[in-house]
Amino acid sequence: MTIDATMVGRSYAAAESYQVGREKIREFADAIGDSNPAYRGDDAIAPPTFAFVLGSRALEQLLNDAELGLRLDRIVHGAQKFSYTRPIKAGDDIAATATITTVRKAGDVEVIMYETALTTVDGEPIATSTSTISHNRADA
């Protein structure tokens, strides 16, 4: 099966929420080489790109939708941007839901845009990321 515009609006919730810990924030900041003190201590906030870690759990559900027929080895991740309502902080319990917003075709390549909403498990909005992936169905 191929993906097409009829699949716009499909949503994929991460299987579980993510409990943000201050050590995970520090480890992430260390991994990206950012020594900002805001990313350390009891009141740590997460670096902006930490949102990708949380949203990737919803993306995994999208990629595993058998009806879409996507193959990871044929995907190129394109643009991604984040919009925040507030910083992610230690102690947050965050749910992620990815929704397909646009599908375009260019020959054998399908360009898929999706939006991932990050909220607390109580529904407080935290951040939204908008991403683009390209999937090539051409025979290798």
Coordinates of all heavy atoms in Angstrom, one line a residue, residues 18-86:
Y18 N 6.0 9.7 29.2 CA 7.4 9.7 29.6 C 7.6 10.5 30.8 O 7.2 11.7 30.8 CB 8.2 10.3 28.4 CG 9.7 10.3 28.6 CD1 10.5 9.3 27.9 CD2 10.4 11.2 29.3 CE1 11.9 9.3 28.1 CE2 11.8 11.2 29.5 CZ 12.5 10.2 28.8 OH 13.9 10.2 29.0
Q19 N 8.2 9.9 31.8 CA 8.5 10.6 33.1 C 9.8 11.3 33.0 O 10.8 10.6 32.9 CB 8.4 9.7 34.3 CG 8.7 10.3 35.6 CD 7.5 11.1 36.1 OE1 6.4 10.7 36.0 NE2 7.8 12.3 36.6
V20 N 9.9 12.6 32.9 CA 11.1 13.3 32.7 C 11.9 13.4 34.0 O 11.4 13.9 35.0 CB 10.8 14.8 32.2 CG1 12.1 15.5 32.0 CG2 10.0 14.7 30.9
G21 N 13.1 12.9 34.0 CA 13.9 12.9 35.2 C 15.1 13.9 35.0 O 15.6 14.2 33.9
R22 N 15.5 14.5 36.1 CA 16.6 15.5 36.0 C 17.9 14.9 35.5 O 18.7 15.6 34.9 CB 16.8 16.3 37.4 CG 17.3 15.4 38.5 CD 17.3 16.2 39.8 NE 17.6 15.4 40.9 CZ 18.8 15.3 41.5 NH1 19.7 16.2 41.2 NH2 19.0 14.5 42.5
E23 N 18.1 13.6 35.8 CA 19.4 13.0 35.4 C 19.3 12.8 33.8 O 20.3 12.9 33.2 CB 19.6 11.7 36.1 CG 20.1 11.9 37.5 CD 21.4 12.7 37.6 OE1 22.4 12.4 36.8 OE2 21.4 13.7 38.3
K24 N 18.1 12.5 33.3 CA 18.0 12.3 31.9 C 18.2 13.6 31.2 O 18.8 13.7 30.1 CB 16.6 11.8 31.5 CG 16.4 10.3 31.7 CD 17.3 9.5 30.8 CE 17.2 8.0 31.0 NZ 18.2 7.3 30.3
I25 N 17.7 14.7 31.8 CA 18.0 16.1 31.2 C 19.5 16.4 31.2 O 20.0 16.8 30.2 CB 17.2 17.1 32.0 CG1 15.7 17.0 31.8 CG2 17.6 18.5 31.6 CD1 14.8 17.9 32.7
R26 N 20.1 16.1 32.3 CA 21.6 16.4 32.4 C 22.3 15.5 31.4 O 23.2 16.0 30.7 CB 22.1 16.1 33.8 CG 23.6 16.4 34.0 CD 24.2 15.9 35.3 NE 24.0 14.5 35.5 CZ 24.7 13.5 34.8 NH1 25.7 13.9 34.0 NH2 24.5 12.3 35.0
E27 N 22.0 14.2 31.3 CA 22.6 13.3 30.3 C 22.4 13.8 28.9 O 23.4 13.8 28.1 CB 22.1 11.9 30.5 CG 22.5 11.2 31.8 CD 21.8 9.9 32.0 OE1 21.0 9.5 31.2 OE2 22.1 9.3 33.1
F28 N 21.2 14.3 28.6 CA 21.0 14.8 27.2 C 21.8 16.0 27.0 O 22.4 16.2 25.9 CB 19.5 15.1 27.1 CG 19.1 15.5 25.7 CD1 18.8 14.5 24.7 CD2 19.0 16.8 25.3 CE1 18.4 14.8 23.4 CE2 18.7 17.2 24.0 CZ 18.4 16.2 23.1
A29 N 21.8 17.0 28.0 CA 22.6 18.2 27.8 C 24.1 17.9 27.6 O 24.8 18.4 26.7 CB 22.4 19.1 29.0
D30 N 24.6 16.9 28.4 CA 26.0 16.5 28.2 C 26.2 15.9 26.8 O 27.2 16.2 26.2 CB 26.4 15.4 29.3 CG 26.5 16.0 30.7 OD1 26.6 17.3 30.8 OD2 26.5 15.3 31.6
A31 N 25.3 15.1 26.3 CA 25.4 14.4 25.0 C 25.5 15.5 23.9 O 26.2 15.2 22.9 CB 24.3 13.4 24.8
I32 N 24.8 16.6 24.0 CA 24.8 17.6 23.0 C 25.8 18.7 23.3 O 25.9 19.6 22.5 CB 23.4 18.2 22.7 CG1 22.9 19.0 24.0 CG2 22.4 17.2 22.3 CD1 21.6 19.8 23.7
G33 N 26.6 18.5 24.4 CA 27.7 19.4 24.7 C 27.2 20.8 25.2 O 27.9 21.7 25.0
D34 N 26.1 20.8 25.8 CA 25.6 22.1 26.4 C 25.7 22.1 27.9 O 25.1 21.4 28.6 CB 24.1 22.3 25.9 CG 23.6 23.7 26.1 OD1 24.1 24.4 27.1 OD2 22.7 24.1 25.4
S35 N 26.6 23.0 28.4 CA 26.8 23.1 29.8 C 26.0 24.1 30.5 O 26.2 24.5 31.7 CB 28.3 23.4 30.0 OG 28.6 24.7 29.4
N36 N 24.9 24.6 29.9 CA 24.0 25.6 30.5 C 23.6 25.1 31.9 O 23.0 24.0 32.0 CB 22.8 25.8 29.6 CG 21.9 26.9 30.0 OD1 21.7 27.2 31.2 ND2 21.3 27.5 29.1
P37 N 23.7 25.9 32.9 CA 23.3 25.4 34.3 C 21.8 25.2 34.4 O 21.4 24.5 35.4 CB 23.8 26.6 35.2 CG 24.2 27.7 34.3 CD 24.4 27.2 32.9
A38 N 21.0 25.8 33.5 CA 19.6 25.5 33.6 C 19.2 24.1 33.4 O 18.1 23.6 33.8 CB 18.9 26.4 32.6
Y39 N 20.1 23.3 32.8 CA 19.9 21.9 32.5 C 20.4 21.0 33.6 O 20.4 19.8 33.4 CB 20.5 21.5 31.2 CG 20.1 22.4 30.0 CD1 21.0 22.6 29.0 CD2 18.9 23.0 29.9 CE1 20.7 23.5 27.9 CE2 18.5 23.8 28.9 CZ 19.4 24.0 27.9 OH 19.1 24.8 26.8
R40 N 20.7 21.5 34.8 CA 21.2 20.8 35.9 C 20.5 21.1 37.2 O 20.0 22.2 37.3 CB 22.7 21.0 36.0 CG 23.4 20.3 34.9 CD 24.8 20.9 34.5 NE 25.5 20.1 33.5 CZ 25.2 20.2 32.2 NH1 24.2 20.9 31.8 NH2 25.9 19.4 31.4
G41 N 20.5 20.2 38.1 CA 19.9 20.5 39.4 C 18.5 20.0 39.6 O 17.9 19.5 38.7
D42 N 18.0 20.3 40.8 CA 16.6 19.9 41.2 C 15.5 20.6 40.3 O 14.5 20.0 40.1 CB 16.3 20.2 42.6 CG 17.1 19.3 43.6 OD1 17.6 18.2 43.1 OD2 17.3 19.7 44.7
D43 N 15.8 21.8 39.8 CA 14.8 22.5 39.0 C 15.2 22.5 37.5 O 14.8 23.5 36.8 CB 14.6 23.9 39.6 CG 14.1 24.0 41.0 OD1 13.3 23.1 41.3 OD2 14.6 24.8 41.8
A44 N 15.8 21.5 37.1 CA 16.3 21.5 35.7 C 15.2 21.6 34.7 O 14.1 21.0 34.9 CB 17.1 20.2 35.5
I45 N 15.5 22.4 33.6 CA 14.6 22.3 32.4 C 15.4 21.6 31.3 O 16.6 21.6 31.4 CB 14.2 23.8 32.0 CG1 15.4 24.6 31.6 CG2 13.3 24.4 33.1 CD1 15.0 25.9 31.0
A46 N 14.7 21.1 30.3 CA 15.3 20.4 29.3 C 15.8 21.3 28.1 O 15.1 22.3 27.8 CB 14.4 19.3 28.8
P47 N 16.9 20.9 27.5 CA 17.2 21.7 26.2 C 16.1 21.5 25.2 O 15.4 20.5 25.2 CB 18.5 20.9 25.7 CG 19.0 20.2 26.9 CD 17.9 19.9 27.8
P48 N 15.9 22.5 24.4 CA 14.8 22.5 23.4 C 14.6 21.2 22.6 O 13.5 20.8 22.4 CB 15.0 23.7 22.6 CG 15.8 24.6 23.4 CD 16.7 23.8 24.3
T49 N 15.8 20.7 22.2 CA 15.7 19.5 21.3 C 15.4 18.2 22.1 O 15.2 17.2 21.4 CB 17.0 19.3 20.5 OG1 18.1 19.3 21.4 CG2 17.1 20.5 19.5
F50 N 15.3 18.3 23.4 CA 14.9 17.1 24.2 C 13.5 16.7 23.8 O 13.1 15.5 23.9 CB 14.9 17.5 25.7 CG 14.7 16.3 26.6 CD1 15.8 15.4 26.8 CD2 13.5 16.1 27.2 CE1 15.6 14.3 27.7 CE2 13.3 15.0 28.1 CZ 14.4 14.1 28.3
A51 N 12.7 17.6 23.2 CA 11.3 17.2 22.8 C 11.3 16.1 21.8 O 10.4 15.3 21.7 CB 10.6 18.5 22.3
F52 N 12.4 16.0 21.0 CA 12.5 15.0 20.0 C 12.5 13.6 20.6 O 11.8 12.7 20.1 CB 13.7 15.1 19.1 CG 13.8 14.0 18.0 CD1 13.0 14.1 16.9 CD2 14.5 12.9 18.2 CE1 13.0 13.1 15.9 CE2 14.5 11.8 17.3 CZ 13.7 12.0 16.1
V53 N 13.2 13.5 21.8 CA 13.2 12.2 22.5 C 11.8 11.8 22.8 O 11.4 10.6 22.7 CB 14.0 12.3 23.8 CG1 13.9 11.0 24.6 CG2 15.5 12.6 23.4
L54 N 11.0 12.7 23.3 CA 9.6 12.4 23.7 C 8.7 12.1 22.5 O 7.9 11.2 22.5 CB 9.0 13.6 24.5 CG 9.9 14.0 25.7 CD1 9.3 15.2 26.4 CD2 10.2 12.9 26.6
G55 N 8.8 12.9 21.5 CA 8.0 12.8 20.3 C 8.4 11.5 19.5 O 7.5 11.0 18.7
S56 N 9.6 11.0 19.6 CA 10.0 9.9 18.8 C 9.2 8.6 19.2 O 9.0 7.7 18.3 CB 11.5 9.6 19.0 OG 11.8 9.2 20.3
R57 N 8.6 8.6 20.3 CA 7.8 7.5 20.7 C 6.5 7.4 19.9 O 6.0 6.4 19.6 CB 7.5 7.5 22.2 CG 8.8 7.3 23.0 CD 8.6 7.5 24.5 NE 9.7 7.0 25.2 CZ 9.7 6.3 26.3 NH1 8.5 6.1 26.9 NH2 10.7 5.9 26.9
A58 N 6.0 8.6 19.6 CA 4.8 8.7 18.8 C 5.1 8.4 17.3 O 4.4 7.7 16.6 CB 4.1 10.0 19.0
L59 N 6.3 8.9 16.9 CA 6.7 8.7 15.5 C 6.9 7.2 15.3 O 6.6 6.7 14.2 CB 8.0 9.4 15.3 CG 8.7 9.1 13.9 CD1 7.8 9.5 12.8 CD2 10.1 9.8 13.9
E60 N 7.4 6.5 16.3 CA 7.6 5.0 16.2 C 6.2 4.3 15.8 O 6.2 3.4 15.0 CB 8.1 4.5 17.5 CG 8.4 3.0 17.4 CD 9.0 2.5 18.8 OE1 9.8 3.2 19.4 OE2 8.6 1.4 19.2
Q61 N 5.1 4.8 16.5 CA 3.8 4.2 16.2 C 3.4 4.5 14.7 O 2.9 3.7 14.0 CB 2.8 4.8 17.1 CG 3.0 4.6 18.6 CD 3.1 3.1 18.9 OE1 2.2 2.3 18.5 NE2 4.0 2.6 19.7
L62 N 3.7 5.8 14.3 CA 3.4 6.1 12.9 C 4.2 5.2 11.9 O 3.6 4.7 11.0 CB 3.7 7.6 12.6 CG 3.4 8.2 11.3 CD1 3.2 9.7 11.5 CD2 4.4 8.0 10.2
L63 N 5.4 5.1 12.2 CA 6.3 4.3 11.2 C 5.9 2.8 11.2 O 6.1 2.1 10.3 CB 7.8 4.4 11.6 CG 8.3 5.8 11.5 CD1 9.8 5.9 12.0 CD2 8.3 6.3 10.0
N64 N 5.3 2.3 12.3 CA 4.9 0.9 12.4 C 3.5 0.6 11.9 O 3.0 -0.5 12.0 CB 5.1 0.4 13.9 CG 6.5 0.3 14.2 OD1 7.4 0.0 13.4 ND2 6.8 0.5 15.5
D65 N 2.8 1.7 11.4 CA 1.4 1.5 10.9 C 1.6 0.7 9.6 O 2.0 1.2 8.6 CB 0.8 2.8 10.7 CG -0.7 2.7 10.1 OD1 -1.0 1.6 9.6 OD2 -1.4 3.7 10.2
A66 N 1.1 -0.6 9.6 CA 1.3 -1.4 8.4 C 0.5 -0.9 7.2 O 1.0 -1.1 6.1 CB 0.8 -2.8 8.8
E67 N -0.5 -0.2 7.4 CA -1.3 0.4 6.3 C -0.5 1.4 5.5 O -0.8 1.7 4.4 CB -2.6 1.0 6.8 CG -3.6 -0.1 7.2 CD -5.0 0.5 7.5 OE1 -5.5 1.3 6.7 OE2 -5.5 0.2 8.6
L68 N 0.4 2.1 6.2 CA 1.2 3.1 5.5 C 2.3 2.5 4.7 O 2.7 3.1 3.7 CB 1.8 4.1 6.5 CG 0.9 4.9 7.4 CD1 1.6 5.8 8.3 CD2 -0.2 5.6 6.6
G69 N 2.8 1.3 5.1 CA 3.8 0.6 4.3 C 5.1 1.3 4.2 O 5.8 1.2 3.2
L70 N 5.5 2.0 5.3 CA 6.7 2.8 5.3 C 7.9 1.8 5.7 O 7.7 1.0 6.6 CB 6.7 4.0 6.2 CG 5.6 5.0 5.9 CD1 5.5 6.0 7.0 CD2 5.8 5.6 4.6
R71 N 9.0 2.0 5.0 CA 10.2 1.3 5.4 C 11.3 2.3 5.9 O 11.6 3.2 5.2 CB 10.8 0.5 4.2 CG 9.9 -0.7 3.9 CD 10.5 -1.5 2.8 NE 12.0 -1.6 2.8 CZ 12.7 -2.1 1.8 NH1 12.1 -2.6 0.7 NH2 14.0 -2.1 1.8
L72 N 11.8 2.0 7.1 CA 12.7 3.0 7.7 C 14.0 3.2 6.8 O 14.5 4.3 6.8 CB 13.1 2.5 9.1 CG 14.0 3.4 10.0 CD1 13.2 4.7 10.1 CD2 14.3 2.8 11.3
D73 N 14.4 2.1 6.1 CA 15.6 2.2 5.3 C 15.4 3.1 4.0 O 16.3 3.3 3.3 CB 16.2 0.9 5.0 CG 15.2 0.0 4.1 OD1 14.0 0.2 4.2 OD2 15.7 -0.9 3.4
R74 N 14.1 3.5 3.8 CA 13.8 4.3 2.7 C 13.4 5.7 3.1 O 12.8 6.5 2.3 CB 12.8 3.7 1.8 CG 13.3 2.4 1.2 CD 12.2 1.7 0.4 NE 12.8 0.6 -0.3 CZ 12.9 0.6 -1.6 NH1 12.5 1.5 -2.4 NH2 13.5 -0.5 -2.2
I75 N 13.6 6.1 4.3 CA 13.2 7.4 4.8 C 14.3 8.3 5.1 O 15.4 7.9 5.6 CB 12.4 7.2 6.2 CG1 11.0 6.5 5.8 CG2 12.1 8.5 6.9 CD1 10.2 6.2 7.1
V76 N 14.1 9.6 4.7 CA 15.1 10.6 5.0 C 14.3 11.7 5.8 O 13.2 12.1 5.4 CB 15.6 11.3 3.7 CG1 16.5 12.5 4.1 CG2 16.4 10.3 2.9
H77 N 14.9 12.0 7.0 CA 14.2 13.0 7.9 C 14.6 14.3 7.3 O 15.8 14.7 7.1 CB 14.7 12.8 9.3 CG 14.1 13.7 10.3 ND1 14.8 14.8 10.8 CD2 12.9 13.7 10.8 CE1 13.9 15.4 11.6 NE2 12.8 14.8 11.7
G78 N 13.6 15.2 7.1 CA 13.8 16.5 6.6 C 13.8 17.5 7.7 O 14.3 17.3 8.8
A79 N 13.0 18.6 7.5 CA 13.0 19.7 8.4 C 12.2 19.3 9.7 O 11.4 18.4 9.7 CB 12.3 20.8 7.7
Q80 N 12.5 20.0 10.8 CA 11.8 19.8 12.0 C 11.9 21.2 12.8 O 13.0 21.8 12.8 CB 12.4 18.7 12.9 CG 11.5 18.5 14.2 CD 11.9 17.2 14.8 OE1 12.9 16.6 14.7 NE2 10.9 16.7 15.6
K81 N 10.8 21.6 13.3 CA 10.8 22.8 14.2 C 10.0 22.5 15.4 O 9.0 21.7 15.4 CB 10.4 24.0 13.4 CG 9.0 24.0 12.9 CD 8.7 25.3 12.2 CE 7.3 25.3 11.6 NZ 7.0 26.5 10.8
F82 N 10.3 23.3 16.5 CA 9.6 23.1 17.8 C 9.0 24.4 18.1 O 9.6 25.5 17.9 CB 10.6 22.7 18.9 CG 11.3 21.4 18.6 CD1 12.6 21.4 18.0 CD2 10.7 20.2 18.9 CE1 13.2 20.2 17.7 CE2 11.4 19.0 18.7 CZ 12.6 19.0 18.1
S83 N 7.8 24.3 18.7 CA 7.1 25.5 19.3 C 6.7 25.2 20.7 O 6.1 24.1 20.9 CB 5.9 25.8 18.4 OG 5.1 26.8 19.0
Y84 N 7.1 26.0 21.7 CA 6.9 25.7 23.1 C 5.9 26.6 23.7 O 5.8 27.8 23.5 CB 8.2 25.9 23.9 CG 9.1 24.7 23.7 CD1 10.0 24.6 22.6 CD2 9.1 23.6 24.5 CE1 10.9 23.6 22.4 CE2 9.9 22.5 24.4 CZ 10.8 22.5 23.3 OH 11.6 21.4 23.1
T85 N 5.0 26.0 24.6 CA 4.2 26.7 25.4 C 4.9 27.0 26.7 O 4.8 28.1 27.3 CB 2.9 25.9 25.7 OG1 2.2 25.6 24.5 CG2 1.9 26.7 26.6
R86 N 5.7 26.1 27.2 CA 6.5 26.2 28.4 C 7.7 25.2 28.3 O 7.6 24.3 27.5 CB 5.8 26.1 29.7 CG 5.3 24.6 29.9 CD 5.0 24.5 31.4 NE 4.4 23.2 31.8 CZ 5.1 22.1 32.1 NH1 6.4 22.1 31.9 NH2 4.5 21.0 32.4

